[in-house]
Structures are given as structure tokens and as C-alpha cells.
Amino acid sequence: MKKILLIATGGTIASRHSGGGLSPAITAEELLGCIPGYQTFCEVDTVSPFSLDSTNVGPDQWMILTDLIERKYDYYNGFVICHGTDTMAYTAAALSYLIQNNRRPVVITGSQRPIDLEDTDARTNLLDSLRFSCDDRAYGVNLVFGGQVIAGTRAKKERSKSYNAFSSINYPPIAVIQDDRLAFYIDDKFKVTSPLKVSHELDRRVFLHKLIPGETGRVLDAMRDSVDAVIIESFGVGGIPDDGEGSYFKAIRAYVEAGKQVVMATQVVNEGSDMSVYEVGRVVQQEFQLPESFDMTLEACVTKTMWALGQTRDPEAFRELFYTPVNHDLLFVPKRA
Ligand code: ASP
């Protein structure tokens, strides 16, 4: 029988009403106690390295999870992490970069309603996660939610209340789960041939700058000294604004000259960036050859930048890492990039 480690980290799935609103209170053992039936297909141990609303989960907690999975890797067939939904897509993407060439499943799940309510998505999501993590075809970091298995780099929370909160962006779901049965759309575990590679460094000084109409570069200038990288969340397929004096362009130049990394992305969720289409994009690409997100999610783009800068400060080496596909994160990189 497969052995799974259930890692409880808080979130709505484990929350109860306190005087001041929902907050994590249900233990890992209590979570398990809510889903009788799993014993027929797996043995589960539990651990709870922290218990937080995922609003408070970030790089410190990603490293705790990475270290825990690395330490326990040889003792379990798979790992199921119960996590708040709000930053779940970031954690799933971060773990995808931190734990690579991973033949064991690491499943991240949670719910929109606490597990001890009568009407809840939590019990289905947790049982689905255990079931997926016991399947021989499962590997790597995936998010299981609302009957879908989504690659850890492709998930986005698109609904704040509905049970189908997550979508797989610019990529099909890896599998679907219906009535306890798993149907795989992508069955490619055979591709993982290299040894497990775990990284322990992330650069946290990454800033995401969302453009709004009329932006002049003032905010970018103000942030420069406190960050190592900025990801510009531009409009449409991508471009930068011009106030008639090239202020934004100058702000980017100051970053590049200061040895900071600038990455172009888009605030449009689906279909991705392509800075070569419009003059407003080309002008900045021709001058600075900045890496761009293409079809990557913003969550993947942010965490990949943190991870890649944790490995190298050399702009060329960064570019190489950024454009090397990891856990299905990037399909389309034109040759010139
Ligand atoms: N605020 C909660 C969290 O992210 C929401 C949830 O889990 O659904 O921890």
C-alpha cells in the first residue's frame, strides 16, 4: 500500500470561526478524520510545519516545505499539502522550481469551505488528492482542486467563492477526477530521467509592477534601490507607455545599468505576451532584449524569477534558466528570444 505524507499548513480547509473571522484551527489528524475511506488505498502520516492563512505564506514557508519534502523523500510515495487557496498558485509554482526532476507526486490542495461543514468541497478535494498521489502515473508538483489536476506552474485562482476556483492557464489540465476515477490527459512521467534536484536559494527582492494608464516610471524609479528584479505587468501582448519624454523607457534603462533584472509580462491572463507585435513593445525589446513571460502564468513568472536569481546573477545565465521549461510552465519561446 502506498505511503503518503499529509502536510497541513492551514487555510480555509482547516479553519473555524473564531471571534475575529475564519482562521486555521483544525489539526492534520482531524482533517484525515473527516475523510473515512482513504484507508482502502493508502496509509497516511501527518505533519503540520505551520498553520497559517495563506495570505501569510511566502518564501520562508516555501523553503520549509521544500526542506521537509527533501528530508522525507525516501520515506513516502507521495506528499499532499493542505494549503489556503489565496496564494496556493504561488506555492505550487515555487515548489515546481525548487523541487525538480521529481518522480514522486507533490499535491497541493485546499477548499473554499472548511472541512467540518456539512456543505463543503474540502472532503472531495482531499480524497481526490490522496487518490491522485497514489496513482503510478502521478509525479511532480500539481494542484488538485474541483476535480481537476493542474500542473503546479499553470494554476490560477480565478474565482474567490465557487468550488471551481482554479483554472489551468494556457495549458490543459494534467488529469481530471470524477467519481473516484482518474483520467489523464498528460501521461509523461517517463520524461523524468535526471536525478532529483532541490534548490535552497530564492531571491526575495522581486517586485511586480502592474501598469495603469498614464504610468510615467515614477514608481519604478522609487523602487529601484530596494529590489534586484522587477516584473512589469504590461498591457495586452506587451509594451511600455511613453509620456512624450520617454520617462518609462529611461526608468528601465536605469534598472539595466544598475545590474537589475527586468522581466516583461502581461496583465492579460490568457494567451500570453509577445513583445514583438507592437512598436510599444519592440522599442524596449530592441534596446534591452528583456526576457518576457510568453505563455507562463504571472505566478510562475514571479517565482521563476525568484528561483533563477537565487541561482545566478549573470543576465545571460538568468535568461537561459528563465527560458528552460520546468514542469510544463512554458510552451512557446520564439527562436529569437
Ligand atoms: N484566506 C484563505 C487562505 O488562503 C482562503 C482559502 O483557503 O480559501 O488561507
Side-chain angles (χ1 to χ4, degrees), residues 89-90 93-94 97 153 206 208 229-233 262-266 273 291-308 318 322 329:
Y90 281 96
Y97 298 116
T153 57
V206 171
L208 178 62
V230 61
I231 295 163
I232 297 171
E233 212 184 333
V262 182
V263 176
M264 297 302 299
T266 173
S273 73
E292 66 178 290
S293 59
F294 292 114
D295 59 286
M296 274 191 269
T297 66
L298 207 60
E299 290 85 342
C301 190
V302 167
T303 54
K304 198 173 196 178
T305 300
M306 289 178 167
W307 166 74
F318 174 89
F322 190 78
D329 66 345

PDB file of all heavy atoms in Angstrom, residues 89-90 93-94 97 153 206 208 229-233 262-266 273 291-308 318 322 329:
ATOM      1  N   ALA A  89      -1.497  29.084  -5.758  1.00  0.00           N
ATOM      2  CA  ALA A  89      -0.871  29.026  -7.092  1.00  0.00           C
ATOM      3  C   ALA A  89       0.591  29.460  -7.018  1.00  0.00           C
ATOM      4  O   ALA A  89       1.445  28.926  -7.743  1.00  0.00           O
ATOM      5  CB  ALA A  89      -1.641  29.900  -8.072  1.00  0.00           C
ATOM      6  N   TYR A  90       0.899  30.424  -6.130  1.00  0.00           N
ATOM      7  CA  TYR A  90       2.303  30.839  -5.964  1.00  0.00           C
ATOM      8  C   TYR A  90       3.122  29.714  -5.336  1.00  0.00           C
ATOM      9  O   TYR A  90       4.238  29.423  -5.760  1.00  0.00           O
ATOM     10  CB  TYR A  90       2.399  32.089  -5.082  1.00  0.00           C
ATOM     11  CG  TYR A  90       2.061  33.372  -5.809  1.00  0.00           C
ATOM     12  CD1 TYR A  90       0.790  33.924  -5.741  1.00  0.00           C
ATOM     13  CD2 TYR A  90       3.015  34.038  -6.565  1.00  0.00           C
ATOM     14  CE1 TYR A  90       0.468  35.097  -6.408  1.00  0.00           C
ATOM     15  CE2 TYR A  90       2.714  35.224  -7.236  1.00  0.00           C
ATOM     16  CZ  TYR A  90       1.443  35.739  -7.151  1.00  0.00           C
ATOM     17  OH  TYR A  90       1.141  36.896  -7.821  1.00  0.00           O
ATOM     18  N   ALA A  93       3.728  26.969  -7.863  1.00  0.00           N
ATOM     19  CA  ALA A  93       4.752  27.332  -8.851  1.00  0.00           C
ATOM     20  C   ALA A  93       6.137  27.334  -8.193  1.00  0.00           C
ATOM     21  O   ALA A  93       7.096  26.776  -8.741  1.00  0.00           O
ATOM     22  CB  ALA A  93       4.436  28.700  -9.450  1.00  0.00           C
ATOM     23  N   ALA A  94       6.230  27.917  -6.994  1.00  0.00           N
ATOM     24  CA  ALA A  94       7.539  27.987  -6.317  1.00  0.00           C
ATOM     25  C   ALA A  94       8.096  26.580  -6.088  1.00  0.00           C
ATOM     26  O   ALA A  94       9.272  26.308  -6.374  1.00  0.00           O
ATOM     27  CB  ALA A  94       7.394  28.727  -4.983  1.00  0.00           C
ATOM     28  N   TYR A  97       9.691  24.949  -9.081  1.00  0.00           N
ATOM     29  CA  TYR A  97      11.075  25.349  -9.407  1.00  0.00           C
ATOM     30  C   TYR A  97      12.063  24.830  -8.360  1.00  0.00           C
ATOM     31  O   TYR A  97      13.192  24.473  -8.688  1.00  0.00           O
ATOM     32  CB  TYR A  97      11.168  26.872  -9.557  1.00  0.00           C
ATOM     33  CG  TYR A  97      10.288  27.344 -10.688  1.00  0.00           C
ATOM     34  CD1 TYR A  97       9.202  28.169 -10.465  1.00  0.00           C
ATOM     35  CD2 TYR A  97      10.510  26.881 -11.979  1.00  0.00           C
ATOM     36  CE1 TYR A  97       8.360  28.535 -11.502  1.00  0.00           C
ATOM     37  CE2 TYR A  97       9.672  27.235 -13.024  1.00  0.00           C
ATOM     38  CZ  TYR A  97       8.602  28.069 -12.779  1.00  0.00           C
ATOM     39  OH  TYR A  97       7.766  28.405 -13.809  1.00  0.00           O
ATOM     40  N   THR A 153       2.731  24.878 -12.201  1.00  0.00           N
ATOM     41  CA  THR A 153       3.112  26.161 -12.807  1.00  0.00           C
ATOM     42  C   THR A 153       1.982  26.786 -13.624  1.00  0.00           C
ATOM     43  O   THR A 153       2.166  27.851 -14.206  1.00  0.00           O
ATOM     44  CB  THR A 153       4.286  25.956 -13.772  1.00  0.00           C
ATOM     45  OG1 THR A 153       3.877  24.978 -14.744  1.00  0.00           O
ATOM     46  CG2 THR A 153       5.533  25.487 -13.047  1.00  0.00           C
ATOM     47  N   VAL A 206      12.087  40.682  -5.379  1.00  0.00           N
ATOM     48  CA  VAL A 206      11.454  40.745  -6.700  1.00  0.00           C
ATOM     49  C   VAL A 206      10.166  41.541  -6.559  1.00  0.00           C
ATOM     50  O   VAL A 206       9.372  41.284  -5.648  1.00  0.00           O
ATOM     51  CB  VAL A 206      11.166  39.320  -7.232  1.00  0.00           C
ATOM     52  CG1 VAL A 206      10.318  39.367  -8.488  1.00  0.00           C
ATOM     53  CG2 VAL A 206      12.485  38.587  -7.501  1.00  0.00           C
ATOM     54  N   LEU A 208       6.696  43.213  -8.430  1.00  0.00           N
ATOM     55  CA  LEU A 208       5.779  43.118  -9.572  1.00  0.00           C
ATOM     56  C   LEU A 208       5.108  44.466  -9.764  1.00  0.00           C
ATOM     57  O   LEU A 208       4.445  44.963  -8.856  1.00  0.00           O
ATOM     58  CB  LEU A 208       4.734  42.031  -9.275  1.00  0.00           C
ATOM     59  CG  LEU A 208       3.661  41.796 -10.320  1.00  0.00           C
ATOM     60  CD1 LEU A 208       4.254  41.327 -11.640  1.00  0.00           C
ATOM     61  CD2 LEU A 208       2.659  40.769  -9.812  1.00  0.00           C
ATOM     62  N   ALA A 229      15.045  42.724  -8.947  1.00  0.00           N
ATOM     63  CA  ALA A 229      14.356  42.475 -10.214  1.00  0.00           C
ATOM     64  C   ALA A 229      12.977  43.090 -10.178  1.00  0.00           C
ATOM     65  O   ALA A 229      12.344  43.163  -9.119  1.00  0.00           O
ATOM     66  CB  ALA A 229      14.219  40.970 -10.455  1.00  0.00           C
ATOM     67  N   VAL A 230      12.528  43.532 -11.342  1.00  0.00           N
ATOM     68  CA  VAL A 230      11.144  43.981 -11.460  1.00  0.00           C
ATOM     69  C   VAL A 230      10.504  43.231 -12.621  1.00  0.00           C
ATOM     70  O   VAL A 230      11.121  43.031 -13.666  1.00  0.00           O
ATOM     71  CB  VAL A 230      11.042  45.515 -11.650  1.00  0.00           C
ATOM     72  CG1 VAL A 230      11.734  45.990 -12.919  1.00  0.00           C
ATOM     73  CG2 VAL A 230       9.585  45.954 -11.656  1.00  0.00           C
ATOM     74  N   ILE A 231       9.272  42.775 -12.382  1.00  0.00           N
ATOM     75  CA  ILE A 231       8.475  42.185 -13.452  1.00  0.00           C
ATOM     76  C   ILE A 231       7.428  43.223 -13.811  1.00  0.00           C
ATOM     77  O   ILE A 231       6.677  43.684 -12.945  1.00  0.00           O
ATOM     78  CB  ILE A 231       7.814  40.879 -12.984  1.00  0.00           C
ATOM     79  CG1 ILE A 231       8.905  39.855 -12.680  1.00  0.00           C
ATOM     80  CG2 ILE A 231       6.847  40.342 -14.037  1.00  0.00           C
ATOM     81  CD1 ILE A 231       8.442  38.701 -11.842  1.00  0.00           C
ATOM     82  N   ILE A 232       7.424  43.620 -15.066  1.00  0.00           N
ATOM     83  CA  ILE A 232       6.470  44.650 -15.492  1.00  0.00           C
ATOM     84  C   ILE A 232       5.241  43.958 -16.080  1.00  0.00           C
ATOM     85  O   ILE A 232       5.328  43.229 -17.067  1.00  0.00           O
ATOM     86  CB  ILE A 232       7.118  45.599 -16.518  1.00  0.00           C
ATOM     87  CG1 ILE A 232       8.289  46.339 -15.852  1.00  0.00           C
ATOM     88  CG2 ILE A 232       6.078  46.584 -17.058  1.00  0.00           C
ATOM     89  CD1 ILE A 232       9.148  47.134 -16.806  1.00  0.00           C
ATOM     90  N   GLU A 233       4.114  44.174 -15.414  1.00  0.00           N
ATOM     91  CA  GLU A 233       2.865  43.570 -15.858  1.00  0.00           C
ATOM     92  C   GLU A 233       2.222  44.562 -16.818  1.00  0.00           C
ATOM     93  O   GLU A 233       1.482  45.461 -16.423  1.00  0.00           O
ATOM     94  CB  GLU A 233       1.995  43.348 -14.617  1.00  0.00           C
ATOM     95  CG  GLU A 233       1.100  42.159 -14.697  1.00  0.00           C
ATOM     96  CD  GLU A 233       0.196  42.044 -13.482  1.00  0.00           C
ATOM     97  OE1 GLU A 233       0.548  42.529 -12.386  1.00  0.00           O
ATOM     98  OE2 GLU A 233      -0.876  41.471 -13.638  1.00  0.00           O
ATOM     99  N   VAL A 262      15.120  42.984 -15.409  1.00  0.00           N
ATOM    100  CA  VAL A 262      13.772  43.437 -15.770  1.00  0.00           C
ATOM    101  C   VAL A 262      13.131  42.352 -16.628  1.00  0.00           C
ATOM    102  O   VAL A 262      13.754  41.860 -17.567  1.00  0.00           O
ATOM    103  CB  VAL A 262      13.804  44.772 -16.549  1.00  0.00           C
ATOM    104  CG1 VAL A 262      12.390  45.246 -16.861  1.00  0.00           C
ATOM    105  CG2 VAL A 262      14.579  45.837 -15.775  1.00  0.00           C
ATOM    106  N   VAL A 263      11.907  41.963 -16.265  1.00  0.00           N
ATOM    107  CA  VAL A 263      11.189  40.915 -17.000  1.00  0.00           C
ATOM    108  C   VAL A 263       9.856  41.505 -17.458  1.00  0.00           C
ATOM    109  O   VAL A 263       9.174  42.186 -16.687  1.00  0.00           O
ATOM    110  CB  VAL A 263      10.934  39.692 -16.088  1.00  0.00           C
ATOM    111  CG1 VAL A 263      10.091  38.638 -16.814  1.00  0.00           C
ATOM    112  CG2 VAL A 263      12.241  39.082 -15.602  1.00  0.00           C
ATOM    113  N   MET A 264       9.504  41.270 -18.709  1.00  0.00           N
ATOM    114  CA  MET A 264       8.225  41.769 -19.221  1.00  0.00           C
ATOM    115  C   MET A 264       7.160  40.684 -19.117  1.00  0.00           C
ATOM    116  O   MET A 264       7.410  39.515 -19.446  1.00  0.00           O
ATOM    117  CB  MET A 264       8.353  42.185 -20.697  1.00  0.00           C
ATOM    118  CG  MET A 264       9.308  43.334 -20.946  1.00  0.00           C
ATOM    119  SD  MET A 264       8.891  44.855 -20.052  1.00  0.00           S
ATOM    120  CE  MET A 264       7.265  45.225 -20.706  1.00  0.00           C
ATOM    121  N   ALA A 265       5.967  41.077 -18.672  1.00  0.00           N
ATOM    122  CA  ALA A 265       4.835  40.132 -18.587  1.00  0.00           C
ATOM    123  C   ALA A 265       3.573  40.907 -18.964  1.00  0.00           C
ATOM    124  O   ALA A 265       3.645  42.091 -19.317  1.00  0.00           O
ATOM    125  CB  ALA A 265       4.736  39.561 -17.178  1.00  0.00           C
ATOM    126  N   THR A 266       2.445  40.250 -18.880  1.00  0.00           N
ATOM    127  CA  THR A 266       1.194  40.918 -19.246  1.00  0.00           C
ATOM    128  C   THR A 266       0.129  40.705 -18.186  1.00  0.00           C
ATOM    129  O   THR A 266       0.104  39.661 -17.524  1.00  0.00           O
ATOM    130  CB  THR A 266       0.642  40.406 -20.592  1.00  0.00           C
ATOM    131  OG1 THR A 266      -0.657  40.969 -20.814  1.00  0.00           O
ATOM    132  CG2 THR A 266       0.539  38.878 -20.631  1.00  0.00           C
ATOM    133  N   SER A 273       2.173  36.886 -23.610  1.00  0.00           N
ATOM    134  CA  SER A 273       2.779  38.102 -24.162  1.00  0.00           C
ATOM    135  C   SER A 273       3.479  37.804 -25.490  1.00  0.00           C
ATOM    136  O   SER A 273       3.813  36.664 -25.786  1.00  0.00           O
ATOM    137  CB  SER A 273       3.810  38.654 -23.180  1.00  0.00           C
ATOM    138  OG  SER A 273       4.968  37.835 -23.175  1.00  0.00           O
ATOM    139  N   PRO A 291      13.933  39.443 -21.006  1.00  0.00           N
ATOM    140  CA  PRO A 291      13.141  38.217 -21.036  1.00  0.00           C
ATOM    141  C   PRO A 291      11.662  38.553 -20.856  1.00  0.00           C
ATOM    142  O   PRO A 291      11.320  39.503 -20.143  1.00  0.00           O
ATOM    143  CB  PRO A 291      13.645  37.425 -19.827  1.00  0.00           C
ATOM    144  CG  PRO A 291      14.805  38.152 -19.292  1.00  0.00           C
ATOM    145  CD  PRO A 291      14.832  39.525 -19.865  1.00  0.00           C
ATOM    146  N   GLU A 292      10.791  37.778 -21.497  1.00  0.00           N
ATOM    147  CA  GLU A 292       9.361  38.008 -21.316  1.00  0.00           C
ATOM    148  C   GLU A 292       8.651  36.709 -20.970  1.00  0.00           C
ATOM    149  O   GLU A 292       9.158  35.614 -21.226  1.00  0.00           O
ATOM    150  CB  GLU A 292       8.735  38.677 -22.536  1.00  0.00           C
ATOM    151  CG  GLU A 292       8.726  37.863 -23.794  1.00  0.00           C
ATOM    152  CD  GLU A 292       8.026  38.604 -24.943  1.00  0.00           C
ATOM    153  OE1 GLU A 292       6.795  38.743 -24.868  1.00  0.00           O
ATOM    154  OE2 GLU A 292       8.707  39.005 -25.896  1.00  0.00           O
ATOM    155  N   SER A 293       7.447  36.842 -20.437  1.00  0.00           N
ATOM    156  CA  SER A 293       6.764  35.671 -19.869  1.00  0.00           C
ATOM    157  C   SER A 293       6.194  34.736 -20.922  1.00  0.00           C
ATOM    158  O   SER A 293       5.990  33.561 -20.661  1.00  0.00           O
ATOM    159  CB  SER A 293       5.644  36.138 -18.929  1.00  0.00           C
ATOM    160  OG  SER A 293       4.729  36.944 -19.638  1.00  0.00           O
ATOM    161  N   PHE A 294       5.910  35.246 -22.121  1.00  0.00           N
ATOM    162  CA  PHE A 294       5.192  34.457 -23.133  1.00  0.00           C
ATOM    163  C   PHE A 294       3.973  33.783 -22.502  1.00  0.00           C
ATOM    164  O   PHE A 294       3.182  34.469 -21.884  1.00  0.00           O
ATOM    165  CB  PHE A 294       6.130  33.468 -23.828  1.00  0.00           C
ATOM    166  CG  PHE A 294       7.163  34.172 -24.690  1.00  0.00           C
ATOM    167  CD1 PHE A 294       8.518  34.125 -24.396  1.00  0.00           C
ATOM    168  CD2 PHE A 294       6.758  34.900 -25.801  1.00  0.00           C
ATOM    169  CE1 PHE A 294       9.445  34.790 -25.178  1.00  0.00           C
ATOM    170  CE2 PHE A 294       7.684  35.572 -26.598  1.00  0.00           C
ATOM    171  CZ  PHE A 294       9.022  35.507 -26.277  1.00  0.00           C
ATOM    172  N   ASP A 295       3.854  32.439 -22.574  1.00  0.00           N
ATOM    173  CA  ASP A 295       2.613  31.814 -22.091  1.00  0.00           C
ATOM    174  C   ASP A 295       2.653  31.429 -20.606  1.00  0.00           C
ATOM    175  O   ASP A 295       1.725  30.799 -20.100  1.00  0.00           O
ATOM    176  CB  ASP A 295       2.264  30.585 -22.946  1.00  0.00           C
ATOM    177  CG  ASP A 295       3.369  29.544 -22.933  1.00  0.00           C
ATOM    178  OD1 ASP A 295       4.411  29.781 -23.583  1.00  0.00           O
ATOM    179  OD2 ASP A 295       3.216  28.513 -22.269  1.00  0.00           O
ATOM    180  N   MET A 296       3.705  31.802 -19.889  1.00  0.00           N
ATOM    181  CA  MET A 296       3.773  31.483 -18.451  1.00  0.00           C
ATOM    182  C   MET A 296       2.724  32.280 -17.665  1.00  0.00           C
ATOM    183  O   MET A 296       2.431  33.422 -18.012  1.00  0.00           O
ATOM    184  CB  MET A 296       5.144  31.871 -17.880  1.00  0.00           C
ATOM    185  CG  MET A 296       6.200  30.817 -18.041  1.00  0.00           C
ATOM    186  SD  MET A 296       7.659  31.225 -17.077  1.00  0.00           S
ATOM    187  CE  MET A 296       8.595  32.126 -18.280  1.00  0.00           C
ATOM    188  N   THR A 297       2.236  31.706 -16.575  1.00  0.00           N
ATOM    189  CA  THR A 297       1.354  32.474 -15.690  1.00  0.00           C
ATOM    190  C   THR A 297       2.195  33.516 -14.947  1.00  0.00           C
ATOM    191  O   THR A 297       3.421  33.383 -14.833  1.00  0.00           O
ATOM    192  CB  THR A 297       0.684  31.576 -14.626  1.00  0.00           C
ATOM    193  OG1 THR A 297       1.705  31.075 -13.758  1.00  0.00           O
ATOM    194  CG2 THR A 297      -0.091  30.436 -15.250  1.00  0.00           C
ATOM    195  N   LEU A 298       1.507  34.508 -14.398  1.00  0.00           N
ATOM    196  CA  LEU A 298       2.220  35.519 -13.623  1.00  0.00           C
ATOM    197  C   LEU A 298       2.852  34.904 -12.374  1.00  0.00           C
ATOM    198  O   LEU A 298       3.968  35.259 -11.981  1.00  0.00           O
ATOM    199  CB  LEU A 298       1.230  36.610 -13.220  1.00  0.00           C
ATOM    200  CG  LEU A 298       1.828  37.978 -12.997  1.00  0.00           C
ATOM    201  CD1 LEU A 298       2.503  38.483 -14.265  1.00  0.00           C
ATOM    202  CD2 LEU A 298       0.750  38.946 -12.574  1.00  0.00           C
ATOM    203  N   GLU A 299       2.135  33.951 -11.763  1.00  0.00           N
ATOM    204  CA  GLU A 299       2.658  33.284 -10.567  1.00  0.00           C
ATOM    205  C   GLU A 299       3.944  32.524 -10.905  1.00  0.00           C
ATOM    206  O   GLU A 299       4.911  32.538 -10.139  1.00  0.00           O
ATOM    207  CB  GLU A 299       1.604  32.305 -10.006  1.00  0.00           C
ATOM    208  CG  GLU A 299       0.383  32.967  -9.391  1.00  0.00           C
ATOM    209  CD  GLU A 299      -0.707  33.312 -10.405  1.00  0.00           C
ATOM    210  OE1 GLU A 299      -0.420  33.366 -11.627  1.00  0.00           O
ATOM    211  OE2 GLU A 299      -1.848  33.542  -9.973  1.00  0.00           O
ATOM    212  N   ALA A 300       3.934  31.864 -12.063  1.00  0.00           N
ATOM    213  CA  ALA A 300       5.133  31.139 -12.492  1.00  0.00           C
ATOM    214  C   ALA A 300       6.255  32.132 -12.803  1.00  0.00           C
ATOM    215  O   ALA A 300       7.413  31.921 -12.421  1.00  0.00           O
ATOM    216  CB  ALA A 300       4.826  30.279 -13.716  1.00  0.00           C
ATOM    217  N   CYS A 301       5.897  33.223 -13.457  1.00  0.00           N
ATOM    218  CA  CYS A 301       6.899  34.222 -13.844  1.00  0.00           C
ATOM    219  C   CYS A 301       7.577  34.830 -12.597  1.00  0.00           C
ATOM    220  O   CYS A 301       8.807  34.968 -12.547  1.00  0.00           O
ATOM    221  CB  CYS A 301       6.176  35.290 -14.653  1.00  0.00           C
ATOM    222  SG  CYS A 301       7.247  36.431 -15.458  1.00  0.00           S
ATOM    223  N   VAL A 302       6.779  35.139 -11.580  1.00  0.00           N
ATOM    224  CA  VAL A 302       7.324  35.726 -10.345  1.00  0.00           C
ATOM    225  C   VAL A 302       8.233  34.725  -9.629  1.00  0.00           C
ATOM    226  O   VAL A 302       9.377  35.030  -9.263  1.00  0.00           O
ATOM    227  CB  VAL A 302       6.171  36.162  -9.397  1.00  0.00           C
ATOM    228  CG1 VAL A 302       6.694  36.477  -8.007  1.00  0.00           C
ATOM    229  CG2 VAL A 302       5.431  37.355  -9.975  1.00  0.00           C
ATOM    230  N   THR A 303       7.754  33.503  -9.444  1.00  0.00           N
ATOM    231  CA  THR A 303       8.539  32.539  -8.652  1.00  0.00           C
ATOM    232  C   THR A 303       9.733  32.019  -9.448  1.00  0.00           C
ATOM    233  O   THR A 303      10.779  31.728  -8.868  1.00  0.00           O
ATOM    234  CB  THR A 303       7.647  31.375  -8.164  1.00  0.00           C
ATOM    235  OG1 THR A 303       6.976  30.789  -9.283  1.00  0.00           O
ATOM    236  CG2 THR A 303       6.615  31.863  -7.162  1.00  0.00           C
ATOM    237  N   LYS A 304       9.595  31.947 -10.777  1.00  0.00           N
ATOM    238  CA  LYS A 304      10.748  31.511 -11.585  1.00  0.00           C
ATOM    239  C   LYS A 304      11.853  32.575 -11.545  1.00  0.00           C
ATOM    240  O   LYS A 304      13.035  32.260 -11.503  1.00  0.00           O
ATOM    241  CB  LYS A 304      10.318  31.252 -13.036  1.00  0.00           C
ATOM    242  CG  LYS A 304      11.317  30.410 -13.819  1.00  0.00           C
ATOM    243  CD  LYS A 304      10.777  30.027 -15.187  1.00  0.00           C
ATOM    244  CE  LYS A 304      11.580  28.897 -15.814  1.00  0.00           C
ATOM    245  NZ  LYS A 304      11.030  28.495 -17.133  1.00  0.00           N
ATOM    246  N   THR A 305      11.435  33.840 -11.536  1.00  0.00           N
ATOM    247  CA  THR A 305      12.416  34.926 -11.422  1.00  0.00           C
ATOM    248  C   THR A 305      13.132  34.843 -10.065  1.00  0.00           C
ATOM    249  O   THR A 305      14.365  34.951  -9.987  1.00  0.00           O
ATOM    250  CB  THR A 305      11.718  36.296 -11.588  1.00  0.00           C
ATOM    251  OG1 THR A 305      11.105  36.331 -12.876  1.00  0.00           O
ATOM    252  CG2 THR A 305      12.690  37.452 -11.453  1.00  0.00           C
ATOM    253  N   MET A 306      12.368  34.622  -8.995  1.00  0.00           N
ATOM    254  CA  MET A 306      12.985  34.485  -7.654  1.00  0.00           C
ATOM    255  C   MET A 306      13.967  33.314  -7.628  1.00  0.00           C
ATOM    256  O   MET A 306      15.070  33.422  -7.102  1.00  0.00           O
ATOM    257  CB  MET A 306      11.911  34.222  -6.589  1.00  0.00           C
ATOM    258  CG  MET A 306      11.033  35.398  -6.282  1.00  0.00           C
ATOM    259  SD  MET A 306       9.811  34.861  -5.045  1.00  0.00           S
ATOM    260  CE  MET A 306       9.149  36.424  -4.522  1.00  0.00           C
ATOM    261  N   TRP A 307      13.523  32.187  -8.209  1.00  0.00           N
ATOM    262  CA  TRP A 307      14.361  30.987  -8.195  1.00  0.00           C
ATOM    263  C   TRP A 307      15.613  31.178  -9.068  1.00  0.00           C
ATOM    264  O   TRP A 307      16.728  30.907  -8.619  1.00  0.00           O
ATOM    265  CB  TRP A 307      13.535  29.789  -8.691  1.00  0.00           C
ATOM    266  CG  TRP A 307      14.361  28.611  -9.038  1.00  0.00           C
ATOM    267  CD1 TRP A 307      14.976  27.759  -8.169  1.00  0.00           C
ATOM    268  CD2 TRP A 307      14.732  28.180 -10.356  1.00  0.00           C
ATOM    269  NE1 TRP A 307      15.695  26.809  -8.868  1.00  0.00           N
ATOM    270  CE2 TRP A 307      15.551  27.050 -10.199  1.00  0.00           C
ATOM    271  CE3 TRP A 307      14.439  28.636 -11.646  1.00  0.00           C
ATOM    272  CZ2 TRP A 307      16.088  26.369 -11.297  1.00  0.00           C
ATOM    273  CZ3 TRP A 307      14.959  27.965 -12.734  1.00  0.00           C
ATOM    274  CH2 TRP A 307      15.783  26.850 -12.547  1.00  0.00           C
ATOM    275  N   ALA A 308      15.415  31.687 -10.289  1.00  0.00           N
ATOM    276  CA  ALA A 308      16.552  31.820 -11.211  1.00  0.00           C
ATOM    277  C   ALA A 308      17.580  32.812 -10.657  1.00  0.00           C
ATOM    278  O   ALA A 308      18.787  32.582 -10.742  1.00  0.00           O
ATOM    279  CB  ALA A 308      16.064  32.244 -12.594  1.00  0.00           C
ATOM    280  N   PHE A 318      20.770  33.886 -16.414  1.00  0.00           N
ATOM    281  CA  PHE A 318      19.379  34.059 -15.953  1.00  0.00           C
ATOM    282  C   PHE A 318      18.414  33.772 -17.097  1.00  0.00           C
ATOM    283  O   PHE A 318      17.438  33.038 -16.948  1.00  0.00           O
ATOM    284  CB  PHE A 318      19.164  35.491 -15.424  1.00  0.00           C
ATOM    285  CG  PHE A 318      17.728  35.771 -15.064  1.00  0.00           C
ATOM    286  CD1 PHE A 318      17.252  35.499 -13.795  1.00  0.00           C
ATOM    287  CD2 PHE A 318      16.841  36.269 -16.019  1.00  0.00           C
ATOM    288  CE1 PHE A 318      15.917  35.727 -13.464  1.00  0.00           C
ATOM    289  CE2 PHE A 318      15.506  36.489 -15.702  1.00  0.00           C
ATOM    290  CZ  PHE A 318      15.041  36.226 -14.419  1.00  0.00           C
ATOM    291  N   PHE A 322      15.538  31.084 -17.265  1.00  0.00           N
ATOM    292  CA  PHE A 322      14.164  31.583 -17.370  1.00  0.00           C
ATOM    293  C   PHE A 322      13.435  30.937 -18.553  1.00  0.00           C
ATOM    294  O   PHE A 322      12.248  30.659 -18.498  1.00  0.00           O
ATOM    295  CB  PHE A 322      14.193  33.111 -17.516  1.00  0.00           C
ATOM    296  CG  PHE A 322      12.847  33.762 -17.403  1.00  0.00           C
ATOM    297  CD1 PHE A 322      12.248  33.958 -16.165  1.00  0.00           C
ATOM    298  CD2 PHE A 322      12.170  34.175 -18.550  1.00  0.00           C
ATOM    299  CE1 PHE A 322      11.001  34.557 -16.066  1.00  0.00           C
ATOM    300  CE2 PHE A 322      10.921  34.764 -18.455  1.00  0.00           C
ATOM    301  CZ  PHE A 322      10.339  34.956 -17.218  1.00  0.00           C
ATOM    302  N   ASP A 329       5.782  24.667 -17.651  1.00  0.00           N
ATOM    303  CA  ASP A 329       5.461  26.097 -17.464  1.00  0.00           C
ATOM    304  C   ASP A 329       5.502  26.939 -18.730  1.00  0.00           C
ATOM    305  O   ASP A 329       4.913  28.015 -18.780  1.00  0.00           O
ATOM    306  CB  ASP A 329       6.382  26.740 -16.403  1.00  0.00           C
ATOM    307  CG  ASP A 329       7.852  26.806 -16.831  1.00  0.00           C
ATOM    308  OD1 ASP A 329       8.243  26.130 -17.805  1.00  0.00           O
ATOM    309  OD2 ASP A 329       8.614  27.541 -16.164  1.00  0.00           O
TER     310      ASP A 329
END
